[in-house]
Amino acid sequence: MKHTFLIAATTLVLACGCSEKQETAQRNTENFCLNTQLKGKIEIQTVKNQTVAENLSLTGNITYNTDDVVQFSSLVSGLITNTYFSLGDYVKKGDVLAEIKSTELNSLQAERKSLEAQLQVANRQLQSVQSMFNDGIASQSELVQANSEVNVLKSSLENVEQNLSLYSASNEKSVFQIKAPVTGYIVSKNVSPGMQIAANDAPLFTISNLSKVWVMVNIYPANLKDIHEGMDVTITTPAYPKQTFNGKITVISQVFDAEEHVLKARIVMDNTDLKLKPGLTADILINKKNNDTKMAAVSAKALIFDNNQNYIMVYKDDCHIERRQINPTVKNRDFLYFESGVSEGEKVIIKNHLLIYEQLKATN
């Protein structure tokens, strides 16, 4: 009988203790309200039903816009004596980029001097024949012949002058000058002082206007059915991981790359700030919309991950905020989608929600 009384008393005490703890937790939760200062720091978003969009993550790299690239190959053979540019330099059309010492220049200059001397003799001969023709001593055919010789020499001299001009010959330095054919950036350089070059050899340098670049995307066979031209894409690079660049898929190749076993898709990007540099790798995010499916959508910024569980903070009023465990049906970089567990019209805190989460967690 005595033992029975002790067990009953202990049970009563424990029951009272548990009840007091539950009442205290409930009272603390109910007593938590957003003050004016904290409420001013949060952001609340209303849940809406919207079309489900899944993300496909692909890789690629940034390249030049090959429609706006000029590769320069020398028209003459010779020795590079000087260069006046570096890789990445901005150059204007007509800027002198390098100089070539060439035997061809010596030949052209010698030919020009010879033709100039011959032309002087031919002009004097023409004047003499013209004078004799006027006096009736020379015939019409002799005058025509002298005039023809002058014209032939003039034509030959003009041809030599044009070649010297084409090669930008400098009489002062006795070198050919390589001038920038267009305005843009030096994106490749294969020339240096002391290098021997041959006519029409490999390009000495490449100039590109980087105001537009191409992003080449690798599409694997498993993703091919979900990707088509015109799709919106979001691009990030290791150089600017927190900045996104938006574009559209312009062209998808119809032939698989033999080495990489992927299809290549092209995205043409504006690059006015020159942050998209050829050679950089890129991460490409493609939004694949399912137009037949709509679900309640919550901003991905609302997600709180704690102890291997996902939570959101559901706002009802300043004194009633729910810490709700969730399991999204679909999620992408921007949104969480729910078939159940979250309803359209509910309000969710998406900024500074972790502060409130910690305070509510502490009261339970």
Side-chain angles (χ1 to χ4, degrees):
M1 185 70 178
K2 185 174 181 180
H3 292 296
T4 303
F5 175 76
L6 287 174
I7 292 171
T10 302
T11 303
L12 180 61
V13 170
L14 290 173
C16 291
C18 290
S19 176
E20 287 178 1
K21 287 181 179 179
Q22 290 173 353
E23 288 177 4
T24 301
Q26 183 177 0
R27 185 167 58 252
N28 289 341
T29 303
E30 292 177 351
N31 287 341
F32 173 79
C33 293
L34 290 175
N35 56 40
T36 304
Q37 183 180 7
L38 183 55
K39 189 171 183 180
K41 294 180 179 180
I42 69 171
E43 182 179 344
I44 299 171
Q45 188 178 79
T46 301
V47 178
K48 295 181 180 179
N49 285 341
Q50 65 184 45
T51 301
V52 175
E54 298 181 60
N55 286 342
L56 294 175
S57 295
L58 303 174
T59 60
N61 60 287
I62 300 168
T63 65
Y64 318 116
N65 175 2
T66 57
D67 292 336
D68 194 10
V69 167
V70 174
Q71 293 183 320
F72 183 90
S73 296
S74 176
L75 298 175
V76 297
S77 300
L79 181 71
I80 299 293
T81 57
N82 288 298
T83 58
Y84 301 101
F85 68 99
S86 299
L87 187 65
D89 282 356
Y90 177 77
V91 296
K92 294 181 180 179
K93 183 177 180 180
D95 286 353
V96 177
L97 303 183
E99 294 173 345
I100 305 174
K101 193 77 173 178
S102 174
T103 56
E104 294 181 45
L105 175 58
N106 297 334
S107 298
L108 286 171
Q109 289 175 332
E111 185 179 358
R112 179 175 61 181
K113 289 180 179 180
S114 175
L115 288 170
E116 287 173 342
Q118 292 178 54
L119 185 58
Q120 287 180 355
V121 173
N123 278 324
R124 288 196 296 268
Q125 181 66 23
L126 176 59
Q127 291 173 0
S128 176
V129 173
Q130 181 69 54
S131 177
M132 288 189 292
F133 176 78
N134 293 338
D135 294 336
I137 300 174
S139 65
Q140 178 73 32
S141 61
E142 290 175 317
L143 179 61
V144 171
Q145 178 66 29
N147 191 63
S148 176
E149 289 179 4
V150 169
N151 289 334
V152 169
L153 289 170
K154 281 184 177 179
S155 178
S156 298
L157 182 59
E158 286 177 1
N159 186 54
V160 172
E161 294 284 4
Q162 287 176 356
N163 285 336
L164 289 169
S165 177
L166 178 64
Y167 303 146
S168 300
S170 171
N171 292 327
E172 295 80 9
K173 295 184 177 181
S174 296
V175 294
F176 289 127
Q177 294 179 321
I178 299 176
K179 295 184 178 181
V182 294
T183 297
Y185 292 87
I186 303 293
V187 295
S188 73
K189 177 185 177 184
N190 303 302
V191 61
S192 59
M195 178 184 291
Q196 189 76 33
I197 62 170
N200 298 314
D201 205 350
L204 302 182
F205 57 85
T206 303
I207 299 178
S208 177
N209 183 345
L210 298 178
S211 59
K212 286 185 181 293
V213 293
W214 288 358
V215 180
M216 303 305 295
V217 186
N218 299 321
I219 303 177
Y220 294 91
N223 301 127
L224 188 57
K225 66 182 184 301
D226 298 317
I227 300 173
H228 56 79
E229 293 178 4
M231 292 185 78
D232 293 325
V233 299
T234 302
I235 298 168
T236 58
T237 66
Y240 306 97
K242 295 183 179 180
Q243 184 172 358
T244 59
F245 305 88
N246 298 316
K248 291 179 181 290
I249 294 179
T250 307
V251 177
I252 298 178
S253 173
Q254 298 304 310
V255 181
F256 272 88
D257 185 284
E259 294 183 359
E260 299 183 56
H261 304 291
V262 295
L263 277 183
K264 293 288 187 178
R266 180 198 309 162
I267 304 167
V268 181
M269 300 290 295
D270 288 327
N271 191 33
T272 52
D273 55 5
L274 301 180
K275 289 185 176 180
L276 298 174
K277 302 185 184 303
L280 278 177
T281 57
D283 294 317
I284 298 94
L285 198 66
I286 299 178
N287 292 326
K288 183 184 72 172
K289 291 187 176 181
N290 185 342
N291 294 324
D292 298 328
T293 305
K294 287 191 174 183
M295 295 184 189
V298 174
S299 171
K301 294 187 290 186
L303 185 65
I304 296 172
F305 185 75
D306 182 32
N307 196 25
N308 294 321
Q309 299 292 335
N310 293 318
Y311 297 89
I312 58 173
M313 303 303 296
V314 180
Y315 174 87
K316 298 177 182 178
D317 58 46
D318 289 354
C319 294
H320 295 86
I321 299 173
E322 178 187 352
R323 182 169 61 99
R324 183 180 299 178
Q325 185 177 332
I326 57 167
N327 185 23
T329 306
V330 178
K331 60 182 178 179
N332 61 31
R333 191 179 61 112
D334 300 313
F335 289 99
L336 314 172
Y337 298 93
F338 298 87
E339 285 184 321
S340 61
V342 179
S343 303
E344 184 178 21
E346 288 192 295
K347 296 181 178 181
V348 177
I349 303 174
I350 64 172
K351 181 180 178 181
N352 286 326
H353 45 307
L354 190 57
L355 296 175
I356 301 171
Y357 175 86
E358 293 295 343
Q359 292 191 42
L360 289 181
K361 183 179 177 182
T363 62
N364 293 329

